[in-house]
DNA sequence: GGGCTAACCTATTCATACG
DNA sequence: CGTATGAATAGGTTAGCCC
């Protein structure tokens, strides 16, 4: 079967889920407009009864399928841009949303049993429950990304400030060094024969930094703080966690 | 392995509420 | 009346099941 056709079938099934309680109509005997099917009783036919039964069944099937298609189109409200009986979208009530929200906070994924339970409790179609959960997960992920962006931006700002301070300090120290060199090679305080880089190490700020100098620089350490708690794996884990541990965010 | 199915996802459409 | 929001659809992917 062509993929597109299969997909359409699947859509149909999904829609049948939407109208899971749809009952097929009683199909009456084909009407007179199909009477040509029954006019098989002529002299040239050696098996009039057999032909009648065969044609009757064919006619019945044809008529049934016609009725079935029209019934399904009617019942399923197949969204067509031009028909007048297109079903209007309705907002869910506050009570419905409240219960759905509570259920979502318990578990962001929806198992079939819970779907049916919610469907019964809320008087909504199972398909509507599934769609609501899908949309809610999308909003939840968007909020998570937004939150992650805020955290990263804050940490970026902290690093930026630190960098700015360090650059200003380097400038000051370079200026001091220039002045010092103006006095020749005489010692000045504790500094002798030092480069600009090392000067930073010797300042109070630099001393603070040097406490951690055994391993990584401040920036590297801050960078670690920025990136380590937010690995892709962690993010994926939060997304696939069975329970919503992320702070509840309004959507 | 390939077909089928159900559930999921992202992107999009469209109706509705609201300032 | 324009915009934001949310319900619903379209089309694609994936995993599980069966043959």
């Amino acid at each position: 079967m062509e993929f597109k056709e299969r997909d359409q079938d699947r859509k149909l099934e999904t829609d049948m889920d939407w109208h899971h309680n749809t009952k097929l109509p009683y199909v009456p005997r084909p009407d007179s407009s199909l009477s040509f099917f029954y006019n098989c009783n002529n002299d040239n036919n050696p098996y009039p009864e057999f032909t009648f039964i065969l044609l009757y069944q064919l006619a019945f099937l044809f008529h049934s399928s016609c009725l079935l298609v029209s019934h399904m189109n009617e019942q399923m409200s197949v969204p067509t841009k031009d028909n007048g009986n297109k079903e209007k979208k309705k907002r869910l009530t506050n009570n419905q949303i409240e219960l759905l929200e509570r259920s979502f906070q318990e578990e962001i994924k929806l198992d079939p049993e819970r779907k049916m339970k919610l469907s019964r409790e809320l008087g909504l179609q199972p398909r509507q429950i599934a769609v609501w959960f899908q949309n809610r997960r999308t909003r939840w992920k968007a909020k998570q990304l937004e939150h992650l962006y805020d955290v990263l931006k804050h940490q970026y700002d902290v690093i930026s400030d630190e960098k700015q301070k360090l650059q200003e300090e380097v400038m000051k120290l370079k200026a001091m060094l220039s002045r010092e060199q103006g006095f020749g090679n005489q010692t000045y305080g504790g500094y002798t024969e030092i480069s600009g880089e090392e000067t930073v190490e010797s300042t109070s700020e630099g001393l603070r930094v040097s406490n951690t100098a055994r391993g990584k620089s401040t920036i590297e350490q801050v960078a670690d703080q920025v990136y380590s708690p937010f690995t892709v794996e962690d993010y994926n884990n939060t997304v696939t966690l069975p329970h919503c541990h992320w702070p509840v965010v309004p959507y």
Side-chain angles (χ1 to χ4, degrees):
Chain A
M1 186 186 286
E2 194 70 31
F3 183 81
K4 290 279 180 188
E5 288 175 41
R6 204 184 73 198
D7 201 45
Q8 286 306 312
D9 285 351
R10 188 167 51 76
K11 282 288 174 213
L12 195 67
E13 279 156 6
T14 314
D15 289 343
M16 287 300 278
D17 174 40
W18 168 264
H19 298 280
H20 73 291
N21 54 359
T22 297
K23 291 200 170 49
L24 295 182
Y26 166 69
V27 181
R29 190 183 187 280
D31 60 27
S32 57
S33 65
L34 298 167
S35 60
F36 67 92
F37 272 122
Y38 308 98
N39 296 335
C40 56
N41 196 14
N42 60 62
D43 295 338
N44 299 330
N45 188 350
Y47 310 105
E49 287 181 0
F50 174 77
T51 309
F52 173 79
I53 291 167
L54 189 66
L55 286 177
Y56 181 88
Q57 286 177 342
L58 272 173
F60 185 82
L61 283 172
F62 176 78
H63 187 76
S64 301
S65 57
C66 287
L67 281 174
L68 184 60
V69 166
S70 70
H71 173 80
M72 284 175 75
N73 282 341
E74 191 180 310
Q75 286 294 308
M76 293 166 67
S77 297
V78 174
T80 53
K81 307 241 175 190
D82 51 355
N83 71 347
N85 64 349
K86 183 178 170 182
E87 219 170 85
K88 298 278 184 188
K89 286 181 184 177
K90 284 179 188 166
R91 297 256 160 165
L92 303 179
T93 66
N94 288 341
N95 286 342
Q96 287 171 329
I97 289 173
E98 196 181 319
L99 187 54
L100 285 166
E101 195 64 45
R102 255 185 280 151
S103 184
F104 182 83
Q105 296 305 330
E106 284 173 21
E107 166 81 54
I108 69 167
K109 296 269 182 173
L110 187 63
D111 56 274
E113 199 177 315
R114 200 154 60 107
K115 180 163 71 177
M116 296 311 293
K117 185 170 173 281
L118 284 167
S119 167
R120 282 192 302 273
E121 286 174 3
L122 297 171
L124 295 170
Q125 297 295 338
R127 172 71 180 155
Q128 282 177 288
I129 306 293
V131 165
W132 188 88
F133 263 77
Q134 189 52 58
N135 287 326
R136 185 65 181 84
R137 277 194 295 271
T138 302
R139 291 194 289 271
W140 178 69
K141 277 186 181 177
K143 279 287 171 193
Q144 268 201 319
L145 277 175
E146 206 175 295
H147 182 81
L148 187 61
Y149 170 80
D150 288 343
V151 169
L152 287 171
K153 187 174 183 308
H154 172 74
Q155 291 181 338
Y156 169 81
D157 290 343
V158 168
I159 293 170
S160 241
D161 285 351
E162 177 113 4
K163 184 189 169 199
Q164 182 68 28
K165 282 177 192 163
L166 287 171
Q167 279 178 335
E168 284 168 10
E169 191 144 353
V170 166
M171 294 298 285
K172 276 187 213 164
L173 290 169
K174 277 183 177 173
M176 280 171 62
L177 190 62
S178 301
R179 265 182 273 130
E180 184 187 336
Q181 281 171 344
F183 291 110
N185 272 346
Q186 67 189 85
T187 57
Y188 181 82
Y191 310 112
T192 51
E193 308 246 339
I194 50 176
S195 70
E197 298 285 323
E198 287 164 336
T199 306
V200 174
E201 288 281 315
S202 305
T203 64
S204 56
E205 186 74 15
L207 283 172
R208 186 179 62 76
V209 173
S210 71
N211 288 336
T212 61
R214 272 175 246 117
K216 297 174 175 179
S217 71
T218 305
I219 289 177
E220 281 172 327
Q221 286 176 348
V222 174
D224 282 351
Q225 285 179 3
V226 170
Y227 294 113
S228 62
F230 295 99
T231 62
V232 172
E233 191 185 352
D234 288 345
Y235 174 72
N236 287 340
N237 283 342
T238 60
V239 168
T240 54
L241 271 177
H243 294 281
C244 174
H245 296 303
W246 200 266
V248 178
V249 286
Y251 63 96

